[in-house]
């Protein structure tokens, strides 16, 4: 069979994509004798797969080679819309996992990149890559998986390395009587027993193909059900159109994944890494394969260099406020420059002073602005141009750091000169560490893009440059490599660093000049940008620079205590189970729970019966082991994630932990925290208290001040829905949960019992998140689903305006494709009109949550900006350290803490005028936990 057809005379580079797990399963089940290594390791599948890999290289001599695998056994987005997806798959045999692990290690060590992407199957990654690569490559999918047939075209074929045969779109039509364009329709109609995709009973592939060829689509088959045979007609009508839409969603491959992990240059193939491969083959006793490998490179014909073309971008939803540049084909010629002397630097700095705005970026010798050293700075004042000045690196062009800082400082600190950057908070931090306080930030293009479309896949500079400007930027891995071979940017020749850094500044400037006028088209969003998000950059920079002190000794002692508790729990589990076993092994836990203890399984997965937290919670009432396992897992996670890990995050220069706050971390507008995440430490558990008690002030004469909004989401709900009883309760500073309990349980306020208040509290927060009767029954012990529904019905009768508001949120999402927060932040809700019930219900809950949570996020951000200004004006000696959802944490001198607490509460309580008063609880203590 011929290779994919070319429209030019030149041969195009070949890109081979191995469907990893499909090939591993095929190797494992191959009709071949069982093999074991000299050490007894099962190796039949390993041998067959490795032979396949070597044969692929020998037979096809690929120009690019990549293996794609599933990230995990659970396919997140398909499982969310159809929990039974792949539920019927049998568990893996005992000898499969060690061979799978060995194969992945062989592929990695042989130098073949392995790509996976959380939440999606390998097929989705392959589909995205096939669409992305086919303009410039001949793409070969090393697989026989029928699900990939929908990808076939003149540039994409399937290749069976075992038979050395290709399968293209023409061969598919000839063999199966339908083409790639009909594959999804056929699969949706026939279903898939292996993946548990619902199909019309009795309709197989041949019948489905005939029907699709006759009527054009699966939907048309349903519309013409009366014209089918009596049995087909009956089964089609019983199946239902909604199931058809679900099946199409399940079988249609995603072709628009972001794939930030994909590095095309790393897939460029020369030869297998023979020494590493030889080591595996010798260890496993694969003598035949040892004879096949060659230490020299695989010979390939010379390939013409093919220039990369920009990828196409389509907005994710109708609610997107930005589009690709309409005249992106008219791109400016690039002129990038390396500054080699101080006179040249001074001349260029003079140009910055007269520019309307300039883009600014930094390069550092490592990750983390608070730990890495400044390597250089790049600037751009005009599209297509940029320049770089180095203060650390290779060669004579590195200029004295002190002289460079002295030259750029006046310009960067001048608030009248407009600066733009991408994730500029990092650059501001890097400059602050060398004594420069950057002022005059006009925009952060990452934040501006986020405000214009909160549903975009990524806000990275290279992705936005591709999507909006049609430009493919040089990846940093081209300069410094990846993995163990990665080097510092200071070890890269300066001319290459200059081009890379100047490109960053250039693209940032171009994005700013595209996005800023777009913001002007939406006054509320522009106001949010100018008065909240941009001023917040200074606040977040200050917080990250301040960091927070953690007592490493306290962490170590707590880890030891928790470790002893974990050991005790382990022994209790063994005693109650009747024997020791590997608690971390799902397979062994399944055997203990469902075989030895005879508990009734709750949910089946393709690896057996589920033992996740939800299942264990249901089983906990039947036996002590599930409850003990839950506690064991919780303590293990706390110990490893916090007590054992936080000490490693202490900065060696400052002695503090400097988390990073991400303003684009959540579509609601909430800030997220990373490296490390300090927003996920448990609040109400004893173990969470232990962790928080290790967070302390930096000096002996200081305390930690914690100021927390009281019930802010319920107050925001009351503001929006204008429910009189809620407004009255908040206006009178009543206990809102007690007030609601009095109404729901029809009793006097003073007669509300603690249990009733607890129930009301659970219901209040459950209602906000759109919980169902089933969900509410699961949250409240001894509450049946029927009682839960009755409780929700009573709640609706007592507080009808709440549900009128919810209906309005859903109506707004349907009308506009998005919802808005109190300050005009938009959250696209693309699934709101989905024909799949579960997806539509999820979208409706998201619409409601986004208005409430997003408005609360607007509030805390405004409070932070106002507080920062108030502290600056008052010349406060306190330091703002953390923001954790509705809470701010500061470090304050003991002798002025009451004054500082008043200052903070005043800023927070007056940040926004609502129909109900805002209330802030302030406490201070020698550690974070005691300040709660």
């Amino acid at each position: 069979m011929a290779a994919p057809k070319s429209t030019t005379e030149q041969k195009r580079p070949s890109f081979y994509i191995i469907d990893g797990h499909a090939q591993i399963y095929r190797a494992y089940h191959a009709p071949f004798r069982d093999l074991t290594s000299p050490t007894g390791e099962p190796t039949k599948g390993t041998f067959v797969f490795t032979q396949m890999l070597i044969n692929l290289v020998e037979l096809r001599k690929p120009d690019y080679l990549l293996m794609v695998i599933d990230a995990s056994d659970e396919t997140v987005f398909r499982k969310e819309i159809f929990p039974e997806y792949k539920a019927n798959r049998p568990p893996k045999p005992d000898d499969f996992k060690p061979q799978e692990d060995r194969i992945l290690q062989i592929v990695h060590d042989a130098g073949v990149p392995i790509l996976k992407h959380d939440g999606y199957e390998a097929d989705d990654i392959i589909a995205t890559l096939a669409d992305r690569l086919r303009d410039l490559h001949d793409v070969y999918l090393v697989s026989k998986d029928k699900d990939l047939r929908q990808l076939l075209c003149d540039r994409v074929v399937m290749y069976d390395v075992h038979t050395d045969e290709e399968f293209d779109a023409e061969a598919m039509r000839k063999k199966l009587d339908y083409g790639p364009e009909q594959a999804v329709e056929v699969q949706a109609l026939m279903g898939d027993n292996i993946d548990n995709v619902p199909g019309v009973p009795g309709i197989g592939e041949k019948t489905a193909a005939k029907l699709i060829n006759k009527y054009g689509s699966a939907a048309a088959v349903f519309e013409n059900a009366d014209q089918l045979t009596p049995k087909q007609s009956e089964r089609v009508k019983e199946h239902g159109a909604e199931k058809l839409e679900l099946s199409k969603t399940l079988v249609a491959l995603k072709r628009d994944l972001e794939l930030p992990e994909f590095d095309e240059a790393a897939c460029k193939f020369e030869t297998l890494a023979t020494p590493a491969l030889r080591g595996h083959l010798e260890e496993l006793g694969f003598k035949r394969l040892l004879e096949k490998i060659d230490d020299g490179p695989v010979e390939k014909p010379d390939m013409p260099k093919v220039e990369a073309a920009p990828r196409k971008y389509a907005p994710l939803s109708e609610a997107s406020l930005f589009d690709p540049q309409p005249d992106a084909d008219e791109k400016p010629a690039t002129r990038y420059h390396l500054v080699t002397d101080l006179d040249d630097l001074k001349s260029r700095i003079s140009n910055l002073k007269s520019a309307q705005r300039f883009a600014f970026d930094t390069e550092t010798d490592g990750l983390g602005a608070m730990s890495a050293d400044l390597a250089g700075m790049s600037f751009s004042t005009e599209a297509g141009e940029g320049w770089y000045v180095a203060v650390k690196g290779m060669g004579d062009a590195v200029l004295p750091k002190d002289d460079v800082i002295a030259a750029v400082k006046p310009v960067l600190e001048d608030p009248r000169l407009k600066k733009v950057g991408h994730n500029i908070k990092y650059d501001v931090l890097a400059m602050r560490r060398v004594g420069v306080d950057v002022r005059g930030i006009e925009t952060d293009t990452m934040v501006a893009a986020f405000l214009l479309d909160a549903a975009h896949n990524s806000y990275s500079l290279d992705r936005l440059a591709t999507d909006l400007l049609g430009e493919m930027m040089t990846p940093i891995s081209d300069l410094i490599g990846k993995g163990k071979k990665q080097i510092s940017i200071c070890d890269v020749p300066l001319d290459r660093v200059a081009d890379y850094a100047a490109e960053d500044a250039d693209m940032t400037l171009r994005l700013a000049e595209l996005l800023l006028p777009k913001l002007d088209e939406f006054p509320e969003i522009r106001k949010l940008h100018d008065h909240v998000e941009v001023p917040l950059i200074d606040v977040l920079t200050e917080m990250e620079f301040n960091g927070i002190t953690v007592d490493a000794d306290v962490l170590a002692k707590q880890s030891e205590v928790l470790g002893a508790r974990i050991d005790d729990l382990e022994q209790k589990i063994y005693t109650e189970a009747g024997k020791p076993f590997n608690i971390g092994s799902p397979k062994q836990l399944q055997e203990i729970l469902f075989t030895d203890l005879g508990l009734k399984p709750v949910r089946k997965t393709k690896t057996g019966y589920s033992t996740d937290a939800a299942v264990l919670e249901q089983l906990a009432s039947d036996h002590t082991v599930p409850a003990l396992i839950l506690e064991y897992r919780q303590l293990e996670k706390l110990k490893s994630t916090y007590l054992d890990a936080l000490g490693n995050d202490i900065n060696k220069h400052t002695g503090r932990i400097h988390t990073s706050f991400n303003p684009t971390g959540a579509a609601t507008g909430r800030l997220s925290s990373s490296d490390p995440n300090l927003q996920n430490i448990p609040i109400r558990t004893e173990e969470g208290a232990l962790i928080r008690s290790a967070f302390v002030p930096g000096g002996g004469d200081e305390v930690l001040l914690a100021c927390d909004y009281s019930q802010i989401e319920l107050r925001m709900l009351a503001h929006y829905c204008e429910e009189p009883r809620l407004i009255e309760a908040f206006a009178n500073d009543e206990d809102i949960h007690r007030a609601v309990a009095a109404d729901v349980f029809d009793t006097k306020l003073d007669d509300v019992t603690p249990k009733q208040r607890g129930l009301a509290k659970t219901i209040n927060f459950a209602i906000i998140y759109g919980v169902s009767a089933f969900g509410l029954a699961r949250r409240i012990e001894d509450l049946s689903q029927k009682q839960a529904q009755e409780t929700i019905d009573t709640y609706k009768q007592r507080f009808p305006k709440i549900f009128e508001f919810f209906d309005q949120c859903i109506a707004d999402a349907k009308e506009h494709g998005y919802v808005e927060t109190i300050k005009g932040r938009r959250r696209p809700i693309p699934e709101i009109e989905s024909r799949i019930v579960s997806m539509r219900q999820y979208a409706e809950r998201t619409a409601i949550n986004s208005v409430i949570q997003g408005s609360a996020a607007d509030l805390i951000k405004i409070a932070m900006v106002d507080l920062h200004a108030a502290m600056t004006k008052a010349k406060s000696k306190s330091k703002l350290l953390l923001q954790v959802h509705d809470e701010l944490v500061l470090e304050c001198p003991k002798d002025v803490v009451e004054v500082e607490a008043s200052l903070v509460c005043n800023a927070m309580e007056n940040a926004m005028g609502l129909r109900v008063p805002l209330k802030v609880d302030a406490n201070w203590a020698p550690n974070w936990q005691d300040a709660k």
Side-chain angles (χ1 to χ4, degrees), residues 296-428:
V298 177
E299 294 183 4
K300 293 188 294 187
D302 290 338
M303 294 300 304
K305 184 177 180 182
V306 180
E307 295 298 327
R311 287 170 287 180
K312 300 298 182 183
Y313 164 72
L316 294 180
S317 71
E318 293 301 320
S320 174
L321 302 183
F322 60 70
D323 298 299
Q325 216 169 344
D327 58 348
D329 291 335
E330 301 175 13
K331 299 171 187 173
T334 54
R335 301 179 303 279
Y336 298 151
H337 177 76
L338 172 64
V339 175
T340 57
D341 60 68
L342 290 173
D343 288 338
D344 184 14
L345 174 64
K346 291 174 182 177
S347 173
R348 291 180 179 276
I349 289 175
S350 179
N351 291 336
L352 296 179
K353 296 177 182 178
S354 58
Q356 179 184 5
R357 67 173 58 91
F358 64 83
F360 161 64
D361 188 44
T362 60
E363 300 299 331
T364 54
D365 64 357
L367 297 175
M370 289 300 298
S371 55
D373 290 335
L374 184 69
M377 293 156 280
S378 57
F379 299 83
S380 176
T381 58
E382 184 179 337
E385 72 162 28
W387 52 274
Y388 178 70
V389 54
V391 298
K392 188 176 182 180
M394 301 172 59
D396 297 336
V398 176
L399 301 183
K401 182 177 179 179
D402 290 346
D403 293 343
V404 171
I405 297 303
V408 301
K409 183 179 174 73
V411 173
L412 290 178
E413 292 189 341
D414 190 337
R416 297 168 299 177
L417 301 178
K418 297 179 180 178
K419 294 100 181 164
V420 298
H422 193 86
N423 190 21
I424 198 170
K425 175 165 59 68
Y426 184 96
D427 308 300
V428 174

Side-chain angles (χ1 to χ4, degrees), residues 421-423 443-453 459 464 515 519 529 533-534 537 663-664 825:
H422 193 86
N423 190 21
T443 192
D444 181 329
T445 49
M446 179 180 75
V447 172
F450 174 67
L451 287 173
L452 290 168
D453 186 357
Y459 303 94
L464 291 176
L515 297 175
L519 285 171
H529 171 274
E533 296 291 351
V534 170
I537 293 170
T664 64
R825 185 188 306 277

Side-chain angles (χ1 to χ4, degrees), residues 455-667:
H456 199 56
N457 270 349
S458 170
Y459 303 94
S460 66
L461 178 59
D462 56 348
R463 179 61 189 263
L464 291 176
T466 299
D467 293 348
L468 302 183
L469 305 175
E471 295 281 8
M472 294 286 285
M473 296 181 65
T474 302
I476 185 63
S477 57
D478 280 7
L479 275 70
I480 64 175
K482 298 174 70 176
K484 294 180 180 179
K485 296 181 179 179
Q486 183 171 313
I487 61 176
S488 167
I489 200 167
C490 295
D491 297 323
V492 178
L494 272 183
D495 57 339
R496 295 188 64 205
V497 177
D499 285 346
Y500 170 82
E503 182 183 55
D504 279 359
D506 174 25
M507 295 301 167
T508 299
L509 183 69
R510 292 197 225 177
L511 283 173
E513 294 182 341
L514 175 67
L515 297 175
L516 284 169
K518 179 60 74 173
L519 285 171
D520 289 334
E521 298 176 22
F522 304 93
E524 287 301 310
I525 296 177
R526 181 71 201 219
K527 187 177 179 181
L528 185 66
H529 171 274
D530 290 352
H531 298 292
V532 180
E533 296 291 351
V534 170
L536 189 67
I537 293 170
D538 284 339
V539 185
L540 299 181
T541 302
E542 180 75 23
M543 291 164 63
E544 291 184 22
F545 185 84
N546 290 337
I548 189 167
T549 302
V550 174
D551 191 324
D553 291 336
V554 172
L555 288 176
K557 290 176 183 176
Q558 291 174 356
S559 179
E560 186 178 342
V561 171
L562 208 58
R565 285 185 58 189
I566 291 170
D567 291 341
D568 288 342
L569 268 176
E570 186 175 10
Q571 294 308 311
K572 286 182 182 178
I573 291 169
Y574 294 159
T575 300
E576 294 295 329
K579 65 180 181 182
F581 64 99
N582 182 356
I583 298 174
S585 167
K587 181 175 177 58
Q588 292 188 34
L589 182 55
Q590 288 172 34
E591 183 179 339
I592 291 291
L593 294 177
F594 307 123
T595 302
D596 295 358
L597 300 179
L599 299 177
K600 186 178 179 180
V602 176
R603 187 172 67 252
K604 191 174 184 180
T605 70
K606 71 179 194 178
T607 57
Y609 292 110
S610 174
T611 58
D612 65 14
V615 168
L616 293 179
E617 285 173 4
Q618 290 188 57
L619 297 175
S621 59
D622 299 329
H623 200 280
T624 55
V625 168
L628 292 171
I629 294 289
L630 281 170
E631 186 179 0
Y632 177 91
R633 287 180 180 176
Q634 180 189 31
L635 298 187
E636 271 279 297
K637 183 176 181 180
L638 289 175
K639 185 176 184 296
S640 60
T641 305
Y642 295 106
L643 296 178
D644 294 343
L646 281 176
N648 299 325
D649 292 313
I650 298 175
N651 187 293
K652 64 180 181 181
H653 302 297
T654 67
R656 292 174 172 241
I657 288 178
H658 300 268
T659 187
S660 179
F661 291 100
N662 181 5
T664 64

Side-chain angles (χ1 to χ4, degrees), residues 93-109:
D94 291 341
D95 63 342
F96 180 85
K97 188 64 166 66
Q99 296 189 73
E100 177 187 35
D101 291 343
R102 172 70 80 160
I103 289 169
L104 293 176
Q105 192 62 53
I106 288 173
V107 174
H108 175 270
D109 293 349

